[in-house]
Amino acid sequence: MPPEQRPVTRRKSISTLVQVRCEATWVSAILVALFFFYSFSPIGTRAVGTLRWFHVLAFSFIVFITNFGRFNLRAAVPFLLVTGLTTVGSFIVPIRTGFDDDVLNNSRGLVVALFSNLLILPALAGERCRRLVVLALLAASLFWAFRLNVLIAELGDAARTDLAGPGRDRNFICFILGIGVVIFLGAGLFWPPRRQWSRVMRPAALGGSLALLVVLPYTFSRSGIITSLVIILLGLFFYVLKNKVRAIALVLFLLVAMAGLARVIVPAVLTALPSWEIHFDRLLHWQTDDDMSVRRQLLEKGWEIVNANPLIGVGPGMSKGYRGVREGFLLHNGYLTAWAELGLAGVASCLVLVGYWVAEVRQKIRNREAWTCDLVCLLVGGQMLGMNLFLDFSSIYWYVATLVCAVVYDRRLSSYASWLSLPRARRAGRRTNPDASLPGTIRGCPRG
């Protein structure tokens, strides 16, 4: 073969290889998106407990293989730090308890779940995969909205008693609906104004956010509604910080629209669901109201466990059977549960994740070219971190935590690749741009 033709042949072979990798990335992205939809939709939540650890582990290996086993240790440091602290806490507990069978099995299951999420992380860090996952979460939220409308139409105010038990907890359902609200809100606020269809997509997304916000009272979850409203205000605040003066008019319009919507919707909700007036009155008097005594007793139970086991904890899943106040009940506070079950390592893991989330939000706000999907993923992470005050430390927490860490993974991977592309003489003196894109990225193939 003549020498002048060799580079052309090499370029063709590289192009073919990249095309194969892109197709495999599509497979892994679709698999991860379907897994998220199954976990958050009524289909998967009603089947809670049917999946075993080996099912999830096998699925994670399939995703890892279809993603060609790509993994970058430097980019995965935040996730490894968060899960490493949790792993340390879960391994120390069996030593203190004398390798009790229940504690050992629960610790083993938690570590396997964390390892499964680690295998999914590189695929989830791809732009294409995160986009599909956001769409899957939105579809799950709309699915729940449809189910709730049907339930309210059939039972009315009595639907509150039907929203209980595994897969039907009203706080959990409100959390998923809140995810849909913030996805629509993030798309409406941060959709690039110069992109095609922006004049249609942004109003439609903001309208979808207000429509799902109307459905939230159907869950009868006070904590879920409060958390969603706080995240909405945070999203508006992020938008103002990112766009300065131009954002103030839109934010004021949205606040006025929300106030007007509340003035119309609240009387209608109180008429259709009269128990809401009692629920909010109890919330205002939570320190003395008898209906809120369960929450107070669960907090007392959690602090009792922490005071008795402040450093190591009682073991994953063992706070439910702890003898004392409300034996057999979960704590319904993820941070307190992490401290009570995994000790200081568990609560430190949660705090490290919160710290990475705050740092990533700050970085994306300062970056004018930040990708819309990344901002939406971070808003979903904020919804999870807020609802973790009222939900238990479960696998859903780790799925969303992995999504947040995937955003950090993608940025760190791009930053590291940009640094490697420099001559050696310039690497030491150059401050890495955290938002630099990957050099040599072929159009149509995701960076992650």
Side-chain angles (χ1 to χ4, degrees):
M1 180 182 293
E4 62 271 14
Q5 294 183 4
R6 290 175 187 172
V8 177
T9 305
R10 178 176 175 80
R11 257 186 248 114
K12 287 183 178 180
S13 62
I14 292 176
S15 177
T16 304
L17 176 62
V18 171
Q19 184 65 30
V20 172
R21 290 171 71 94
C22 286
E23 291 174 358
T25 305
W26 264 117
V27 173
S28 59
I30 292 173
L31 288 176
V32 174
L34 290 175
F35 179 74
F36 268 77
F37 176 78
Y38 176 81
S39 301
F40 285 80
S41 69
I43 301 173
T45 52
R46 288 301 296 268
V48 63
T50 58
L51 286 178
R52 297 292 184 263
W53 63 268
F54 50 86
H55 295 146
V56 180
L57 187 61
F59 170 80
S60 302
F61 268 113
I62 293 174
V63 171
F64 189 73
I65 293 171
T66 55
N67 201 46
F68 281 94
R70 286 179 286 179
F71 184 82
N72 187 282
L73 186 62
R74 291 174 181 265
V77 165
F79 184 80
L80 292 174
L81 182 58
V82 172
T83 56
L85 288 170
T86 307
T87 303
V88 169
S90 62
F91 273 146
I92 291 177
V93 173
I95 298 176
R96 185 185 68 83
T97 58
F99 296 96
D100 180 78
D101 290 340
D102 293 334
V103 175
L104 194 60
N105 289 334
N106 292 344
S107 299
R108 188 186 301 116
L110 177 59
V111 172
V112 170
L114 296 179
F115 181 70
S116 301
N117 290 337
L118 180 64
L119 295 176
I120 294 175
L121 179 65
L124 192 56
E127 295 179 357
R128 182 178 293 161
C129 184
R130 291 204 303 280
R131 189 184 293 116
L132 290 179
V133 166
V134 167
L135 292 176
L137 292 175
L138 182 60
S141 180
L142 294 175
F143 198 169
W144 272 115
F146 172 75
R147 292 288 297 272
L148 278 175
N149 277 284
V150 173
L151 188 64
I152 292 296
E154 293 177 352
L155 302 179
D157 200 37
R160 183 176 187 270
T161 59
D162 193 63
L163 296 176
R168 295 179 68 88
D169 179 74
R170 51 182 173 270
N171 291 329
F172 174 71
I173 297 174
C174 192
F175 163 62
I176 299 177
L177 289 177
I179 287 179
V181 171
V182 299
I183 288 176
F184 272 132
L185 179 69
L189 292 178
F190 301 109
W191 189 278
R194 297 181 181 179
R195 185 171 293 181
Q196 190 178 13
W197 302 104
S198 63
R199 293 185 178 180
V200 177
M201 293 298 298
R202 296 185 73 181
L206 293 175
S209 179
L210 293 176
L212 275 181
L213 192 61
V214 173
V215 184
L216 288 183
Y218 292 171
T219 62
F220 299 91
S221 172
R222 292 162 291 199
S223 55
I225 291 177
I226 293 173
T227 303
S228 298
L229 293 177
V230 170
I231 298 301
I232 288 173
L233 295 177
L234 274 179
L236 297 176
F237 180 64
F238 296 159
Y239 182 68
V240 171
L241 291 179
K242 191 173 180 62
N243 295 276
K244 309 300 180 185
V245 179
R246 293 182 303 169
I248 296 179
L250 178 59
V251 169
L252 290 177
F253 170 77
L254 289 176
L255 291 176
V256 171
M258 289 174 60
L261 186 66
R263 187 172 182 179
V264 175
I265 294 299
V266 169
V269 170
L270 293 178
T271 301
L273 309 173
S275 61
W276 260 116
E277 188 172 355
I278 302 174
H279 300 331
F280 270 113
D281 184 67
R282 289 170 173 171
L283 181 63
L284 295 175
H285 303 89
W286 70 274
Q287 293 180 323
T288 57
D289 190 85
D290 292 337
D291 186 66
M292 300 295 291
S293 61
V294 176
R295 285 282 185 180
R296 295 197 301 269
Q297 291 174 4
L298 291 177
L299 285 176
E300 293 174 3
K301 175 184 178 180
W303 284 115
E304 179 183 342
I305 298 174
V306 168
N307 290 330
N309 309 271
L311 298 179
I312 297 181
V314 296
M318 303 306 293
S319 62
K320 181 178 181 179
Y322 191 82
R323 295 182 180 179
V325 182
R326 289 286 174 179
E327 182 180 353
F329 282 78
L330 297 170
L331 301 182
H332 291 284
N333 186 307
Y335 302 108
L336 188 58
T337 302
W339 194 354
E341 295 184 351
L342 302 176
L344 284 180
V347 72
S349 170
C350 296
L351 295 178
V352 169
L353 179 62
V354 173
Y356 273 116
W357 179 82
V358 172
E360 195 66 19
V361 167
R362 180 173 176 269
Q363 192 277 329
K364 296 299 181 187
I365 289 175
R366 295 174 61 185
N367 178 19
R368 293 274 183 178
E369 303 299 325
W371 190 36
T372 302
C373 191
D374 284 347
L375 293 164
V376 171
C377 291
L378 292 174
L379 284 177
V380 171
Q383 178 79 8
M384 180 269 298
L385 294 174
M387 278 303 294
N388 202 39
L389 291 167
F390 311 102
L391 293 174
D392 295 302
F393 198 61
S394 63
S395 57
I396 295 297
Y397 170 88
W398 287 111
Y399 296 154
V400 183
T402 307
L403 181 62
V404 173
C405 290
V407 177
V408 185
Y409 183 103
D410 185 35
R411 176 179 59 80
R412 290 172 65 91
L413 184 64
S414 302
S415 176
Y416 180 59
S418 300
W419 180 77
L420 286 178
S421 66
L422 295 174
R424 289 188 177 182
R426 296 180 56 193
R427 289 181 187 176
R430 182 182 184 268
R431 186 176 182 180
T432 306
N433 177 13
D435 288 302
S437 59
L438 271 173
T441 300
I442 296 178
R443 186 179 299 274
C445 189
R447 288 184 297 152

